[in-house]
Amino acid sequence: MSPLIRSALTALMIFVSADAGSAQAPESTLKKIAETGVIRIGYSAEDIPFSYRTPDGAVTGYSTDLCIRVVDLLKQKLGLAALAIEYVERTPSNRVAMLRDGEFDIECVASTNNAERRKSVAFSYSHFVTGTQFVSLKKSNLKSVGDLAGHTVAATSGTTNIGQLNSINRTRGLHIAVMPVESHAAAFKLVAEGRASAFVMDGILLAAMIAASDLPDHYALSSDVLGQPEPYGLMMRHDDPDFKEAVNAALTEIYSSGEIEPIYSRWFTKPVPPNGINMRLPMSAELRELFAEPSRSYD
């Protein structure tokens, strides 16, 4: 090999190594927040009572309230006089891509923390626990998973629920026609109009949608669950342990101080805007245990 070619290859290897090294060193979220004085929160327009948009355009909900308090504690940690919140709307199907692309810093909604999803994103300590159920019209008399055999069932794209439904469908040979849809609202509408027999989603979100509907007595939640209850966490990017640690430290303070009690009560035991629905759901013993020991089994 000539000295000229060897020199060119060496230069190319140095360039590639430097470029690869920079690609493996993502920007620190805490550093960016400190420099800009802004934190961007990913939110949902429809996940009552966790994260949703009211008719006047305000973003609110249980997860939103929790994150606002986390932001306040991060502001103190960073020694900032002010820390502005910028809300960024995301959907179940685009949330992971938007987070990984840096379009928001933390997602404060109702995202299930499980092993498969942790391959793509990081999660905070848990802030809720729920299981997958389905909603149907009462007159259809669908109560168990087996009752769905041969029916058309809607599920929101980009959720863990659609994966659970597909797996059960294959394993048990139920011949369910699975109908992926873009949003929870669209899936619920399919059931309301009789175009789908059921809608599979997290039980707590289905209960909220039933309560907020025009005819709540027309709907029924399944007696079956499609899998073991799983926790919700706040989603963050991989490879930023300092930010994850700071968020978890803030949550630990909120949980251990008892601040979580009124936050939870506001959204699950009292009427919430805009329609005054009340979930009437006292904090479960399982959730209390997670708040008492937040690091337990969350990863």
Side-chain angles (χ1 to χ4, degrees):
M1 182 182 297
S2 72
L4 182 60
I5 294 176
R6 185 180 296 110
S7 176
L9 286 174
T10 300
L12 177 62
M13 290 174 65
I14 292 172
F15 175 80
V16 170
S17 296
D19 186 65
S22 64
Q24 293 170 2
E27 182 182 18
S28 164
T29 304
L30 288 176
K31 181 174 181 291
K32 179 171 63 65
I33 291 170
E35 290 175 348
T36 63
V38 176
I39 183 169
R40 293 167 301 170
I41 290 179
Y43 79 94
S44 167
E46 61 175 5
D47 284 7
I48 296 175
F50 293 90
S51 171
Y52 63 102
R53 193 172 54 235
T54 58
D56 63 2
V59 177
T60 190
Y62 169 67
S63 302
T64 305
D65 271 6
L66 192 57
C67 275
I68 288 172
R69 181 60 181 132
V70 167
V71 169
D72 187 51
L73 292 171
L74 290 177
K75 180 183 72 174
Q76 295 176 30
K77 173 183 173 66
L78 295 171
L80 300 175
L83 181 53
I85 294 175
E86 179 182 319
Y87 291 103
V88 180
E89 185 176 353
R90 92 312 165 259
T91 68
S93 59
N94 69 19
R95 56 186 160 182
V96 172
M98 289 183 68
L99 178 62
R100 294 174 68 177
D101 288 346
E103 294 187 47
F104 55 84
D105 303 309
I106 184 169
E107 189 224 37
C108 304
V109 188
S111 289
T112 302
N113 173 3
N114 61 22
E116 181 62 29
R117 191 167 278 163
R118 287 195 299 273
K119 295 176 183 177
S120 303
V121 296
F123 282 93
S124 73
Y125 291 153
S126 305
H127 65 279
F128 201 80
V129 180
T130 190
T132 299
Q133 294 174 268
F134 65 82
V135 63
S136 60
L137 293 173
K138 279 185 180 178
K139 65 182 181 181
S140 300
N141 198 32
L142 302 175
K143 298 178 181 179
S144 67
V145 173
D147 292 336
L148 298 179
H151 288 273
T152 297
V153 178
T156 310
S157 299
T159 64
T160 59
N161 316 91
I162 195 169
Q164 289 175 311
L165 178 60
N166 283 325
S167 177
I168 289 173
N169 195 22
R170 287 192 304 268
T171 303
R172 296 178 57 175
L174 297 176
H175 303 291
I176 295 169
V178 179
M179 183 185 295
V181 292
E182 184 62 26
S183 69
H184 304 336
F188 193 86
K189 185 178 180 182
L190 289 173
V191 174
E193 296 176 349
R195 292 188 288 151
S197 297
F199 166 34
V200 168
M201 180 43 57
D202 297 348
I204 184 63
L205 298 182
L206 292 178
M209 295 181 80
I210 292 170
S213 69
D214 293 334
L215 300 167
D217 291 340
H218 284 208
Y219 302 95
L221 267 180
S222 63
S223 55
D224 271 3
V225 293
L226 278 71
Q228 292 297 315
E230 293 180 309
Y232 287 163
L234 309 176
M235 283 203 320
M236 296 163 282
R237 283 183 290 280
H238 265 322
D239 304 321
D240 196 347
D242 290 344
F243 184 54
K244 177 178 174 180
E245 182 179 336
V247 170
N248 280 342
L251 289 174
T252 298
E253 180 171 336
I254 295 166
Y255 296 167
S256 63
S257 68
E259 287 182 73
I260 190 62
E261 295 280 350
I263 295 175
Y264 181 94
S265 179
R266 177 186 176 191
W267 294 102
F268 295 100
T269 67
K270 298 176 181 177
V272 302
N275 300 321
I277 67 168
N278 189 335
M279 301 299 297
R280 294 181 175 84
L281 186 68
M283 192 182 296
S284 67
E286 183 177 24
L287 189 55
R288 285 189 182 280
E289 289 174 5
L290 282 176
F291 288 154
E293 194 179 350
S295 62
R296 178 175 64 87
S297 301
Y298 93 105
D299 262 351

